[in-house]
Amino acid sequence: MKVNIVFNSYDKSFLVEIGKRDETLYSLNDYVVKELFNSSLSVEQVTPEIFVQNLSMPRRNAFIRPAVANIDQLIMIAANVNPVTDPFLIDRVVAIAENADCEPVVCLNKCDLDPADHLYAIYRSIGFRVLRTSAATGLGVDELRDALRGKTSAFTGNSGVGKSSLLNALDPRFSVQVGEVSQPLGRGRHTTRHVELYTLSGGAEIIDTPGFSSFDTDMMDLGTADTLAQAF
């Protein structure tokens, strides 16, 4: 990777020009520093020169959306009510995880309102780990905590399915802001607008990521038709 220009911007953000056309804005926080540099550097210690030197370090895996790297599990949070997650969206997320040698986990939330029996049966039958939870009642939260223990996991899913609510159910001290679902549109409003790392007891690290109302596969590395088929 040839980095031509790095501009130091406000709030520890770096505008990186790769080649002649592609530009990426990296906003640094403790998680990004840890994953990019694999060191004990603090955000304040990162200079443009250090950033360039470490930008192309090898990764176990990396994702564009959600923007995370070096994770053990990609937790696809879905729901069958308010809003309803398109199963095709789940398919794409688990395929992307499998193609990156990352374990996909399907977590069906809001099961106090709808148990999502058909989704549970489908993904269990093809060998994926499937959890059923309710952030509102606490259903399945202990099982989710067990699945996270000792691993670095990223939460992803469409807006409104309860990613932030599940984080608060896992540990109320997180106090993550929770949004509401738009009743006329039947979809969630974006509450989480950045990637943030949370730490649970038991060595679990959870990365909360912004939700989405659509899933742009043009931005994803889905692999070839052969590797895609092997994900199922």
Side-chain angles (χ1 to χ4, degrees), residues 15 17 23-24 27 45-46 52-53 63 66 75-76 93 106 131 139-140 157 159-160 164 179-180 182 190 196 201 226:
L15 183 63
E17 181 182 289
E23 291 184 349
T24 302
S27 295
Q45 293 172 311
V46 177
V52 172
Q53 180 181 355
F63 302 86
I75 314 291
M76 173 63 199
V93 169
V106 178
L131 308 175
L139 171 72
S159 299
S164 298
E180 295 181 354
S182 170
H190 300 294
E196 186 163 350
S201 59
D226 290 338

Side-chain angles (χ1 to χ4, degrees), residues 23-40:
E23 291 184 349
T24 302
L25 180 66
Y26 290 85
S27 295
L28 295 192
N29 55 35
D30 289 337
Y31 167 72
V32 174
V33 168
K34 175 185 173 184
E35 294 304 324
L36 281 179
F37 307 150
N38 192 26
S39 74
S40 58

Side-chain angles (χ1 to χ4, degrees), residues 28-99:
L28 295 192
N29 55 35
D30 289 337
Y31 167 72
V32 174
V33 168
K34 175 185 173 184
E35 294 304 324
L36 281 179
F37 307 150
N38 192 26
S39 74
S40 58
L41 285 176
S42 67
V43 174
E44 290 73 21
Q45 293 172 311
V46 177
T47 64
E49 292 75 20
I50 293 175
F51 184 82
V52 172
Q53 180 181 355
N54 290 275
L55 186 61
S56 58
M57 289 181 64
R59 294 177 174 49
R60 288 188 289 125
N61 52 49
F63 302 86
I64 299 173
R65 189 173 184 182
V68 295
N70 294 339
I71 60 173
D72 301 308
Q73 300 180 124
L74 187 58
I75 314 291
M76 173 63 199
I77 312 292
N80 200 46
V81 62
N82 196 32
V84 175
T85 303
D86 186 342
F88 190 40
L89 175 60
I90 304 174
D91 292 347
R92 284 182 280 185
V93 169
V94 298
I96 289 165
E98 288 274 315
N99 190 52

Side-chain angles (χ1 to χ4, degrees), residues 41 55 63 67 102-103 119 127-128 148 161 175 226:
L41 285 176
L55 186 61
F63 302 86
C102 175
E103 182 182 358
L119 293 176
F128 291 115
L148 298 169
V161 292
S175 299
D226 290 338

Side-chain angles (χ1 to χ4, degrees), residues 77-83 106-120 130-141 143 161-162 166:
I77 312 292
N80 200 46
V81 62
N82 196 32
V106 178
C107 178
L108 303 172
N109 195 33
K110 302 190 178 184
C111 285
D112 57 313
L113 302 177
D114 188 310
D117 289 333
H118 66 294
L119 293 176
Y120 183 82
V130 185
L131 308 175
R132 286 201 271 204
T133 59
S134 168
T137 67
L139 171 72
V141 171
E143 186 179 359
V161 292
L166 280 173

